[in-house]
Amino acid sequence: MSANLILASNVLFITLLSGVYNELNRIVPEPYMDETFHIPQALRYCNGSLYEWDPMITTFPGLYFASMGLLSIYSKLVQTSVMESCNIFTLRGTNIIYGVATYFVIYLILKKLHPKISQYTLLLSTLTISLFPVLFFFNFLYYTDCGSTFFILSAYLFSLYNQQSLSMSCCIMAVLFRQTNVVWVAFVAGTTLLDLIPNEILFPSRETDKYYVGTIREQLIAVTKLCWFDMKRIVALLSPYLFVIVTFIYFVVINKGVAVGDKSHHQVSLNFPQLFYFLSFTSVLTLPYSFSKETLCSCYHYCVNNWRSTLFLFVISLYFVTYFTYTHEYLLADNRHYTFYVWSKIYRPYGGIIRYLLVPGYLYCLYALLYNLQSYSTLWRLGFILSLFIYVVPQSLLEFRYFIVPFLLYRIHINPPSSFLPLVFELILYSIINIFTFYLFLFRGFVWPSEESVQRFMW
């Protein structure tokens, strides 16, 4: 019964991917948006021109190397050359492979993190998370997001099973797809270190789960003791991750920046409100968990009992919103993205006053995120927030694609609900958003006065 259920869910997801893939390629057979950079570059690599580079591309060539590898397997199966099999349809098809593979990785991570949940809940959670609208949409376009997500989640999966060499390989590929994934490499290294701390050292007075929420001081002492008394083992364990991180830092120093190619539009900034945008985005897409009765009541009692710290966070947040809100030139120059409408319809009207009115909501979303991670240690949650901060704040452009990896890492750690209702609600919510997004993208195209080609709405 369990095997049949797993098979049925896999077939359902693969059938869904295949159907949307065929329909999208029928309606949009030409490269669209960033595909106009990525697909010609991939064709050059397939043709053997490895040193010919489009300066408008700012990521490492991991996407193209991986495509060459997958297409070399495909070309052998159909008995043709890599160059002959390298086209827009097969290149988009490589992302379908990543989509299916990510589905299995999510299943295995959930099974490892939540071993007590039923098979029905596990499969429903896997399907729901795999339909996360932003990631699901980019399964069908030749972007870096799907491969980037697959490799960083695979790195985390292998670290959970203490397969550090395999995890390092995935970390390298994740960074080659997108440089900023180095932040999540460091996060994976940190969680690997925390997993080594035994209960009797971390919480000598409590017999409980190792992720019991103790004080930061207790946990820092435990980590320090572990590193001091078992330094050789720690260094050996974390050396794969340290290799990736140190190599990347060396690249940044030599390159004088994170981006390759065109650096002018990808400058590092201190865009602190990016954290608030992520929290809002995440809370909306985890509605059943972020706005549950328990979360709302817990937040209310926390604010009442800790009004001084709440007031302090409120003032700091107002300061960040006032002096660090950054409007990238692309944000209001391209009406094909949802972010254009979020900014022009919500943040910009009435002199921008709405962005201040949203500050209490931002703080609630932060509390909801931490509340949903309460079964993990204080140090674990601090590490996640720190990684999230380092990952999103330097991004000057508000783009929902940048939220994919942190959202998924957060979502897979939320404890599964005791009933199916939250999962069903979440699944329906994601399905509605996906249907609406693909309807706009495929059937509601429009034409700019300056261009003849059809423009399409997208994330």
Side-chain angles (χ1 to χ4, degrees):
M1 179 64 179
S2 178
N4 292 336
L5 195 62
I6 295 173
L7 179 61
S9 65
N10 295 341
V11 170
L12 174 63
F13 186 68
I14 293 172
T15 302
L16 179 61
L17 287 179
S18 301
V20 178
Y21 168 77
N22 290 329
E23 186 67 8
L24 186 141
N25 280 304
R26 184 183 68 83
I27 297 175
V28 190
E30 300 296 328
Y32 184 71
M33 198 74 79
D34 287 5
E35 285 187 322
T36 57
F37 304 114
H38 291 307
I39 289 176
Q41 187 62 49
L43 292 173
R44 295 186 194 102
Y45 271 54
C46 289
N47 197 34
S49 303
L50 302 182
Y51 298 101
E52 190 177 345
W53 186 260
D54 184 344
M56 294 302 294
I57 296 174
T58 59
T59 52
F60 289 149
L63 174 66
Y64 319 118
F65 281 123
S67 296
M68 288 174 62
L70 291 172
L71 290 178
S72 65
I73 298 172
Y74 172 76
S75 62
K76 290 179 180 179
L77 292 175
V78 298
Q79 297 182 343
T80 185
S81 67
V82 173
M83 185 57 197
E84 290 176 329
S85 62
C86 189
N87 55 62
I88 184 173
F89 306 110
T90 55
L91 289 172
R92 284 176 175 173
T94 59
N95 272 355
I96 299 297
I97 295 174
Y98 292 130
V100 174
T102 301
Y103 177 90
F104 287 107
V105 170
I106 291 172
Y107 172 86
L108 293 172
I109 293 176
L110 289 173
K111 189 174 182 179
K112 179 68 173 179
L113 293 176
H114 313 290
K116 296 181 180 180
I117 64 173
S118 68
Q119 189 68 41
Y120 291 99
T121 302
L122 178 59
L123 290 173
L124 184 58
S125 297
T126 302
L127 177 62
T128 301
I129 296 172
S130 298
L131 290 176
F132 167 54
V134 185
L135 178 62
F136 186 73
F137 179 84
F138 286 103
N139 278 324
F140 309 100
L141 295 178
Y142 191 63
Y143 276 53
T144 60
D145 302 277
C146 295
S148 166
T149 302
F150 165 71
F151 283 112
I152 204 67
L153 289 181
S154 296
Y156 186 54
L157 172 66
F158 286 126
S159 74
L160 291 175
Y161 284 92
N162 296 316
Q163 300 294 324
Q164 311 308 335
S165 297
L166 291 174
S167 181
M168 181 191 74
S169 300
C170 292
C171 286
I172 293 173
M173 287 303 300
V175 174
L176 287 177
F177 267 73
R178 181 166 290 169
Q179 294 93 307
T180 50
N181 278 334
V182 72
V183 174
W184 302 112
V185 173
F187 174 75
V188 171
T191 57
T192 302
L193 178 61
L194 286 180
D195 285 341
L196 294 177
I197 303 175
N199 290 344
E200 60 270 19
I201 294 178
L202 187 52
F203 313 112
S205 61
R206 293 287 298 268
E207 291 184 3
T208 184
D209 183 83
K210 66 179 176 181
Y211 285 128
Y212 154 72
V213 182
T215 65
I216 295 178
R217 179 176 173 274
E218 286 175 328
Q219 295 177 35
L220 284 175
I221 290 173
V223 171
T224 303
K225 285 181 178 180
L226 180 67
C227 293
W228 180 259
F229 292 110
D230 207 357
M231 188 175 296
K232 288 184 178 180
R233 185 165 72 101
I234 297 301
V235 171
L237 182 70
L238 299 183
S239 57
Y241 308 108
L242 294 175
F243 169 78
V244 177
I245 295 168
V246 171
T247 302
F248 180 78
I249 293 173
Y250 176 76
F251 159 78
V252 172
V253 172
I254 298 299
N255 188 57
K256 297 181 180 178
V258 174
V260 298
D262 179 25
K263 299 184 180 70
S264 60
H265 298 294
H266 295 81
Q267 298 294 324
V268 174
S269 65
L270 285 177
N271 193 0
F272 291 108
Q274 281 276 33
L275 182 62
F276 302 145
Y277 308 148
F278 172 80
L279 292 170
S280 305
F281 170 85
T282 299
S283 293
V284 170
L285 289 175
T286 55
L287 200 65
Y289 315 100
S290 298
F291 294 93
S292 65
K293 181 179 178 181
E294 294 80 5
T295 309
L296 289 166
C297 292
S298 178
C299 182
Y300 170 78
H301 290 300
Y302 177 86
C303 292
V304 170
N305 297 327
N306 301 274
W307 65 269
R308 290 184 179 85
S309 60
T310 303
L311 181 61
F312 174 76
L313 287 174
F314 179 76
V315 172
I316 291 295
S317 299
L318 282 176
Y319 177 79
F320 285 158
V321 168
T322 303
Y323 295 104
F324 291 95
T325 296
Y326 184 84
T327 305
H328 195 281
E329 59 183 305
Y330 286 172
L331 188 58
L332 293 176
D334 193 340
N335 66 344
R336 294 170 295 181
H337 293 286
Y338 286 173
T339 49
F340 171 88
Y341 300 95
V342 169
W343 199 265
S344 61
K345 303 298 182 182
I346 298 178
Y347 287 101
R348 204 179 186 189
Y350 310 108
I353 192 173
I354 294 179
R355 65 187 185 186
Y356 300 103
L357 299 178
L358 290 173
V359 168
Y362 294 151
L363 295 180
Y364 173 80
C365 292
L366 174 61
Y367 183 88
L369 182 143
L370 294 173
Y371 183 83
N372 285 326
L373 296 175
Q374 63 180 314
S375 59
Y376 296 87
S377 69
T378 305
L379 205 56
W380 191 100
R381 292 187 292 169
L382 181 63
F384 179 77
I385 292 295
L386 180 62
S387 300
L388 175 62
F389 184 88
I390 296 172
Y391 184 75
V392 301
V393 167
Q395 308 276 4
S396 56
L397 177 63
L398 172 59
E399 189 164 353
F400 293 133
R401 289 191 300 130
Y402 300 155
F403 296 163
I404 291 175
V405 171
F407 176 88
L408 290 177
L409 286 173
Y410 165 62
R411 178 59 187 85
I412 60 179
H413 285 90
I414 296 178
N415 286 331
S418 55
S419 71
F420 284 115
L421 287 180
L423 279 173
V424 171
F425 180 91
E426 189 180 13
L427 179 60
I428 294 173
L429 175 64
Y430 288 4
S431 299
I432 292 172
I433 294 173
N434 282 324
I435 291 171
F436 177 74
T437 299
F438 279 106
Y439 170 74
L440 289 180
F441 182 78
L442 296 176
F443 305 112
R444 299 293 291 180
F446 60 97
V447 178
W448 283 341
S450 58
E451 293 186 23
E452 295 182 358
S453 59
V454 176
Q455 309 301 321
R456 301 179 184 277
F457 296 106
M458 61 186 293
W459 284 102

